[in-house]
Amino acid sequence: MTREPRYRQIAEELRHAITEHAYGPGGKLPSEGALAERYEVSRGTIRQALMLLRHDGLVTSRRGTRRVVLDDAPVQEFAQMQSFARWARSIGETPEGRVIRQEWHSADPDERRHLRIDADARVLRVVRLRLLSGRPAMLERTAYPEAMGGIVETLPTDTVSVTEFLEQAGVFVADAEHTIDLARADPEDAELLGCAVDDPLLRERRRSTDPAGVPLEWSEDRYLPGSVAFVVHNSLASTPLTRQHMVPGAGGQGSV
């Protein structure tokens, strides 16, 4: 049996301590040096463990300062917010993904700006239909810079989670910026999502970056009404954004 990496063991111990209210919201973890001494490992190992906690939305990420606990029980992990498949599984649904088309194009001005690429750069544009237990829920239009596109292009067209595949390839999302508004369904939206042209759709535009701040993707996702809501919780410690499942016929509070 393969032994779990030490940094994952440490992250799990710290995660347990946080959920048991050992530090409290807004409390500070011990310094990297103190944690390294406690667990008898290098600071690099501690940083890897803290990165996992940061991905879970449990602590802040500023290196060189003591990490602050954001919340004892986050509504949703960062990884679930970033990955449609992980979120779907977390609510008991079966995620599916179907690539409608993928093609290389010269980057347009919007893609160049968000992906921070040169004027003559190419992007891989992928249109992917996302389903929840067989029901169309979201149409995803994503542009990948050339390095990322070369990886994504090799995926089977029915890959359930691109995020999980990229992590296996050593590519991790560290930050994501989300813009949420309303869009009207175009003919392609209507055909694939089963709605009418000009029906209102919940639109999420997202730019994801790696730990070094390098853009990995620029995406526009369009959700059918009633499939999800996005909830923002404000506090002095953090402002996490979460995706919430919508039950047909049920009202929602705090949705955006």
Side-chain angles (χ1 to χ4, degrees):
M1 181 181 295
T2 303
R3 185 180 179 184
E4 187 176 37
R6 183 64 176 136
Y7 74 91
R8 289 189 176 275
Q9 296 174 0
I10 294 170
E12 186 57 36
E13 289 185 33
L14 291 172
R15 184 181 293 109
H16 178 74
I18 290 170
T19 57
E20 290 295 313
H21 310 283
Y23 303 101
K28 291 185 177 181
L29 293 181
S31 67
E32 288 182 1
L35 289 171
E37 184 175 348
R38 176 196 297 180
Y39 290 105
E40 300 181 338
V41 297
S42 69
R43 287 196 179 202
T45 298
I46 294 299
R47 289 185 187 124
Q48 286 181 291
L50 293 173
M51 174 66 80
L52 292 181
L53 297 181
R54 177 180 181 271
H55 272 244
D56 289 351
L58 289 168
V59 300
T60 55
S61 61
R62 288 176 293 178
R63 186 172 297 180
T65 61
R66 290 169 61 190
R67 274 29 175 223
V68 175
V69 176
L70 295 178
D71 201 326
D72 286 331
V75 177
Q76 185 179 45
E77 295 181 359
F78 176 85
Q80 291 177 2
M81 183 60 219
Q82 184 64 22
S83 168
F84 180 89
R86 283 177 174 151
W87 168 73
R89 296 187 196 110
S90 76
I91 60 171
E93 298 275 8
T94 301
E96 296 177 60
R98 301 175 188 168
V99 172
I100 306 304
R101 66 177 179 275
Q102 63 178 26
E103 301 168 328
W104 288 98
H105 293 271
S106 296
D108 64 28
D110 205 36
E111 291 163 340
R112 293 199 298 269
R113 178 167 60 89
H114 288 285
L115 295 174
R116 300 203 296 268
I117 53 180
D118 296 333
D120 59 349
R122 296 192 311 161
V123 295
L124 180 70
R125 294 179 189 161
V126 181
V127 177
R128 184 180 289 106
L129 179 65
R130 299 289 196 173
L131 302 96
L132 292 174
S133 301
R135 307 182 309 276
M138 182 259 281
L139 192 62
E140 178 183 279
R141 295 178 174 93
T142 307
Y144 298 96
E146 194 149 3
M148 289 297 302
I151 300 174
V152 174
E153 187 180 28
T154 66
L155 292 177
T157 57
D158 60 351
T159 296
V160 173
S161 176
V162 176
T163 300
E164 291 173 351
F165 176 86
L166 292 176
E167 288 176 354
Q168 293 171 6
V171 179
F172 294 90
V173 174
D175 291 278
E177 181 179 275
H178 307 263
T179 301
I180 298 169
D181 60 7
L182 187 71
R184 296 288 179 179
D186 62 26
E188 183 175 54
D189 297 330
E191 178 184 356
L192 295 171
L193 292 174
C195 61
V197 173
D198 287 333
D199 273 0
L201 301 174
L202 184 64
R203 178 172 65 175
E204 177 206 0
R205 286 172 288 180
R206 180 184 66 256
R207 182 179 69 180
S208 304
T209 58
D210 69 10
V214 177
L216 300 175
E217 64 173 4
W218 166 243
S219 188
E220 179 181 308
D221 303 341
R222 297 188 176 196
Y223 292 86
L224 278 173
S227 59
V228 301
F230 289 92
V231 179
V232 177
H233 172 78
N234 291 309
S235 73
L236 290 175
S238 66
T239 305
L241 171 69
T242 62
R243 184 195 284 119
Q244 192 175 73
H245 193 206
M246 295 292 286
V247 179
Q253 294 183 344
S255 59
V256 178

